Amino acid sequence: QKSIQISAKLGVVADQRDALQILSKVYQQTDQPKEALDAFQQFISLRDSILNVDKVRQMISTDMQFKFETKQLADSLRQSLAFNLKIQRQRVYTISSIIGLLVVLSFAFFIFRSYKRAQKANHIIRKANDTIHAEKQVSENLLLNILPRYVADELKHHGKVQAKLFENVTVLFTDFVNFTQMAERLSPDDLIAELDTCFKAFDEIAGKYKIEKIKTVGDAYLAVSGLPLAEPDHAAEVVNAALDMRDYMIQRRAQLKDATFEIRIGVHTGKVIAGIVGVKKFAYDVWGDTVNTAARMEQTSESGKV
């Protein structure tokens, strides 16, 4: 970057072009695609401008050389007879016209080729922009899968999320009865598949009642209503969701018998602190006595009850 500044100040376009090409590669190798693309675009622009200037200089030099030789030829022909002079002049005019036409055609061809190169470069840039946009969308979707939208937006704009105290929310905890014993009876694939099926159903129920899923820990499922946006009916929404989860597991137990789990659910309302902990593999989480009480309610609940 310092080299680009110095070469730009001194007007050394070739050095500026080479520095931009190296800078583009550095950005690419350090996983900065947008900066790499910007530097590459500037490099292409300077490279083409240098090529244009060199071509024009070559044509001007050729034209000047031709005019000089023509003048020498004319001076020598003036000493000849008037008839020969007239013929020679006519020949010179004809040659000049042809060469002039060739120069114009060459210049037009060069401009056309530059235009096609610019079109190709623009196509590559548009394709790169589309790829960057698609990758950005994938990253955004992944972020929204692990964080509430409000929290994800704050993280993107400020690089961190301020921990907040929520005075009135309702916490839901679920847990599967005798999960350890079932884990010993079922194969790992069957165990994970059944957990995945049950938790997907819980996710749909949580979405139905506008409840924010916080996390799963082993066979436990934690969700909260009333954050990050206030929800006036948060307690009723969570209880209704808990009853739906319980009914789902009762029906599934009736179908699959011992191939699935029995459930117990705990609910408690109060204040919590919510925020993000960690830098790598960060997660949005909640803390406080309300969370602990909901967990104890779940632990002391009867099987199949809320």
Side-chain angles (χ1 to χ4, degrees), residues 178-223:
N178 297 326
F179 178 80
T180 303
Q181 288 82 345
M182 285 198 63
E184 294 174 352
R185 289 192 292 106
L186 297 177
S187 69
D189 289 342
D190 291 340
L191 182 69
I192 296 302
E194 184 59 20
L195 269 178
D196 183 57
T197 300
C198 295
F199 283 160
K200 282 181 179 177
F202 292 178
D203 287 344
E204 292 181 4
I205 294 171
K208 174 183 174 183
Y209 291 100
K210 299 178 182 178
I211 297 172
E212 192 68 49
K213 174 186 175 181
I214 301 299
K215 63 181 177 180
T216 60
V217 181
D219 61 322
Y221 187 96
L222 171 62

Side-chain angles (χ1 to χ4, degrees), residues 59-102:
M59 287 188 289
I60 291 174
S61 175
T62 302
D63 187 60
M64 291 179 63
Q65 181 66 27
F66 168 75
K67 289 180 179 178
F68 176 75
E69 292 176 358
T70 302
K71 185 176 182 303
Q72 283 188 324
L73 178 63
D75 290 341
S76 64
L77 289 177
R78 287 193 188 97
Q79 300 174 5
S80 303
L81 297 173
F83 181 74
N84 290 334
L85 180 59
K86 183 178 180 180
I87 294 175
Q88 292 298 330
R89 282 178 178 174
Q90 294 235 332
R91 185 177 298 170
V92 168
Y93 292 152
T94 302
I95 294 173
S96 297
S97 298
I98 294 172
I99 292 178
L101 179 61
L102 290 174

Side-chain angles (χ1 to χ4, degrees), residues 24-53:
S24 174
K25 293 178 180 179
V26 172
Y27 278 139
Q28 183 180 6
Q29 293 170 5
T30 56
D31 196 23
Q32 301 181 66
K34 183 179 183 304
E35 289 78 2
L37 183 60
D38 290 341
F40 183 74
Q41 288 177 317
Q42 295 179 53
F43 160 71
I44 290 292
S45 177
L46 285 180
R47 185 193 66 182
D48 288 347
S49 66
I50 291 173
L51 288 174
N52 291 343
V53 171

Side-chain angles (χ1 to χ4, degrees), residues 172-176 199 202 219-221 245 263-265 298:
L172 175 145
F173 255 107
T174 77
D175 189 40
F176 293 131
F199 283 160
F202 292 178
D219 61 322
Y221 187 96
M245 292 176 181
I263 193 171
R264 57 183 176 225
I265 303 174
E298 172 270 310

Side-chain angles (χ1 to χ4, degrees), residues 248-284:
Y248 171 82
M249 291 307 301
I250 290 175
Q251 294 171 8
R252 191 164 181 82
R253 180 79 176 178
Q255 293 174 355
L256 301 180
K257 306 299 181 185
D258 292 339
T260 189
F261 316 103
E262 293 183 77
I263 193 171
R264 57 183 176 225
I265 303 174
V267 174
H268 187 59
T269 296
K271 60 183 179 181
V272 300
I273 298 172
I276 290 180
V277 293
V279 176
K280 294 183 178 180
K281 297 183 179 180
F282 54 81
Y284 188 68

Side-chain angles (χ1 to χ4, degrees), residues 281-304:
K281 297 183 179 180
F282 54 81
Y284 188 68
D285 209 345
V286 290
W287 303 269
D289 287 340
T290 301
V291 181
N292 297 335
T293 302
R296 287 194 293 272
M297 295 292 288
E298 172 270 310
Q299 292 165 5
T300 56
S301 171
E302 297 180 21
S303 176

